[in-house]
Amino acid sequence: MTTKSTNPETIGLHGGTFRRDESQTSVAVPIHQTTSYQFNSAEHAEKLFGLKEFGNIYTRIMNPTTNTLEERVAALEGGAAGLCVSSGQAASAFVVQNLCSTGDNIVSSTDLYGGTVNLFTNTFKSMGVEVRYADPSDPKNFEKLIDDKTRLFYAEVLPNPSLRVFPIKEVADIGRPHGIPLIVDNTACPVICKPIEHGAAIVMHSLTKFIGGHGNSIGGIIVDSGNFDWSVNKERQPNIWQPDPSYHGAVWGDVVPQLTGANIPYIIRARVVLLRDMGSAISPFNSFQIIQGLETVALRMKQHCENAEKVKKFLQKHSKVEKVIYSTLHDGEIGDRAKRYLKGGYGALMGIELKGGLEAGKKFIDSLKMLYHVANIGDARSLAIHPASTTHSQLNDKDMAAAGVTPGYVRLSIGIEHSDDIIADLDQALNA
Ligand code: PLP
């Protein structure tokens, strides 16, 4: 590793093993736009394919540009190893598929990104994997849904639109004695939340959002903490402990620690089995673009959060705003979780409930001049969307309310422009 620092500002620039390109001495991480890699000899190729040695074979499975991104995000999260995939959505699919087969189940938080809800409720169901939903307001709800076939717990750290921070330690502690890892999607809070420190076994991100930040590339990553004890109940995790027929009967829980010296069977299996078979590889060019974002994500998160604080105060006093929804503004335990789990700021995502419902929401969106009206979050630019007329418009009133969306709800992703300019645009649109 080139730095021992645990500071995110330094890790974004120096994390991982890359110091310079060894052939040309370039400091910027080169784009290795290649499909394949020349083997040193027949013996070398045999060792790579036989997993006797790790090294580049083919870009579907690994790539040097992507490797730097994987190492740096793993370091940022305090994890042992990372695996990039083609999108955040692919990461959500992989983290579950890596442990589940037909007949298995997972317990997931109810507070999820809509794309994940579709994947879990419809696509996984069609594959025979059942998703059981637990309301995270009470962590004990997770324990109630476990049976012998429960392979993992899944949650988002700061889900929108509810913006209720997830009880990471509480749920990780419930799973650990059963051998059930907690897997969290930390897309909305890189830098300001380090879920592994609170007990999460696996962390994933849509790199498309804050880590990329420039809104120009889609990507996803999975980070293995390297500290989950997979052997607590070996029957609980057949994909880790049963011989894998697709790799000459390899038992990942045994082979990987022997080969790497690290407790990372989960992430190695995801790479050599899922990425090999499903093929959702990120392009090296996208990895390069996302590295440019990663280099400044710590600074940007500070600015995102500082701006969000100012915008929150402005909106709370505005006569056209019924209510502001923000991580710290929930009553009691849920608001306290934001203060316990988020450090250095409370996030860029915010909701506003407009007086005047659906029509007021649409008019507000149409009146914005600087904020972009897009379905994305986590861009350096400030963004807004009105879920009732867009992302959630197919839901009935009851399901919309369950998702935390009311007719006058507008979701904001506060960017890094000058806060005065963000506030001025919001003000003129509210008064239009
Ligand atoms: N997870 C969260 C929390 C998201 O907001 C998104 C996308 O909006 C995803 C995962 C999926 O990521 P991607 O769009 O990179 O596929």
Side-chain angles (χ1 to χ4, degrees):
M1 292 294 146
T2 59
T3 177
K4 289 197 169 65
S5 174
T6 53
N7 297 313
E9 297 82 353
T10 308
I11 291 172
L13 291 154
H14 300 281
T17 49
F18 179 86
R19 175 68 185 165
R20 62 172 196 177
D21 171 52
E22 287 310 322
S23 66
Q24 302 298 324
T25 75
S26 71
V27 169
V29 180
I31 308 173
H32 290 273
Q33 195 71 31
T34 182
T35 57
S36 318
Y37 307 85
Q38 162 86 350
F39 304 120
N40 302 335
S41 63
E43 191 193 351
H44 178 224
E46 194 179 4
K47 280 188 181 161
L48 293 178
F49 276 89
L51 285 185
K52 302 277 181 301
E53 191 180 318
F54 268 119
N56 296 321
I57 298 177
Y58 192 55
T59 283
R60 170 152 36 84
I61 299 167
M62 54 175 62
N63 172 277
T65 309
T66 301
N67 181 54
T68 298
L69 178 58
E70 290 167 343
E71 289 183 350
R72 283 193 191 168
V73 178
L76 188 71
E77 287 292 358
L83 172 69
C84 281
V85 287
S86 55
S87 67
Q89 198 63 24
S92 304
F94 269 33
V95 291
V96 174
Q97 287 174 316
N98 203 31
L99 295 180
C100 290
S101 311
T102 305
D104 295 342
N105 67 71
I106 73 168
V107 181
S108 169
S109 167
T110 44
D111 290 1
L112 293 179
Y113 161 62
T116 309
V117 175
N118 271 333
L119 170 70
F120 283 6
T121 309
N122 301 310
T123 302
F124 278 159
K125 188 174 176 197
S126 74
M127 295 173 169
V129 173
E130 183 197 352
V131 179
R132 303 173 174 186
Y133 289 104
D135 180 346
S137 357
D138 182 359
K140 291 196 202 77
N141 289 334
F142 279 72
E143 186 136 45
K144 291 178 195 153
L145 296 174
I146 300 173
D147 68 14
D148 288 351
K149 296 275 188 180
T150 304
R151 306 290 180 229
L152 62 99
F153 290 157
Y154 185 95
E156 282 178 30
V157 173
L158 178 62
N160 76 81
S162 75
L163 302 177
R164 304 192 292 176
V165 170
F166 185 77
I168 306 171
K169 179 178 185 313
E170 293 86 332
V171 174
D173 285 351
I174 289 173
R176 206 173 294 112
H178 295 278
I180 300 178
L182 172 64
I183 300 185
V184 293
D185 180 340
N186 197 27
T187 298
C189 330
V191 181
I192 58 171
C193 183
K194 294 183 75 178
I196 291 172
E197 287 180 359
H198 304 292
I202 308 292
V203 178
M204 56 142 291
H205 285 271
S206 163
L207 295 168
T208 317
K209 312 289 171 2
F210 292 95
I211 292 183
H214 304 304
N216 60 25
S217 303
I218 301 266
I221 193 164
I222 307 165
V223 174
D224 189 331
S225 65
N227 63 21
F228 186 75
D229 185 355
W230 298 98
S231 67
V232 165
N233 174 359
K234 290 191 175 178
E235 283 176 13
R236 164 87 58 203
Q237 301 298 350
N239 284 7
I240 303 290
W241 295 109
Q242 280 183 11
D244 185 338
S246 82
Y247 250 107
H248 314 299
V251 174
W252 299 112
D254 291 328
V255 168
V256 174
Q258 282 161 18
L259 191 66
T260 64
N263 175 28
I264 52 171
Y266 178 91
I267 207 76
I268 296 292
R269 184 191 186 276
R271 183 185 295 281
V272 301
V273 177
L274 287 182
L275 208 44
R276 177 197 64 184
D277 295 353
M278 304 299 190
S280 320
I282 192 169
S283 121
F285 184 70
N286 277 23
S287 294
F288 170 81
Q289 297 278 39
I290 293 166
I291 288 169
Q292 311 316 301
L294 180 63
E295 292 190 339
T296 58
V297 68
L299 271 182
R300 281 186 288 106
M301 286 311 288
K302 273 188 202 142
Q303 183 77 7
H304 278 294
C305 294
E306 274 174 34
N307 282 353
E309 231 15 83
K310 290 180 187 157
V311 168
K312 179 193 79 179
K313 287 191 182 128
F314 162 77
L315 290 171
Q316 281 180 307
K317 288 195 212 120
H318 204 285
S319 61
K320 300 279 172 60
V321 175
E322 185 78 46
K323 186 177 171 195
V324 179
I325 297 99
Y326 191 57
S327 58
T328 50
L329 291 179
H330 299 279
D331 293 333
E333 164 60 12
I334 306 213
D336 290 347
R337 279 179 200 157
K339 293 180 190 133
R340 265 203 322 277
Y341 286 119
L342 307 182
K343 290 277 166 307
Y346 298 109
L349 301 182
M350 194 175 297
I352 43 175
E353 181 76 56
L354 297 179
K355 292 179 182 164
L358 190 72
E359 286 316 308
K362 282 163 60 178
K363 185 163 177 225
F364 169 77
I365 290 283
D366 282 339
S367 307
L368 289 168
K369 293 196 168 75
M370 185 180 82
L371 271 77
Y372 281 88
H373 177 206
V374 295
N376 197 17
I377 56 166
D379 199 295
R381 303 157 192 83
S382 292
L383 315 172
I385 196 158
H386 177 233
S389 61
T390 56
T391 49
H392 291 64
S393 57
Q394 279 101 12
L395 300 186
N396 59 37
D397 289 353
K398 187 168 155 269
D399 289 348
M400 212 185 283
V405 174
T406 52
Y409 185 103
V410 173
R411 181 186 74 198
L412 302 174
S413 176
I414 304 300
I416 62 169
E417 303 94 341
H418 196 288
S419 57
D420 290 352
D421 297 322
I422 303 171
I423 288 172
D425 195 33
L426 292 171
D427 193 33
Q428 66 77 24
L430 286 166
N431 294 325

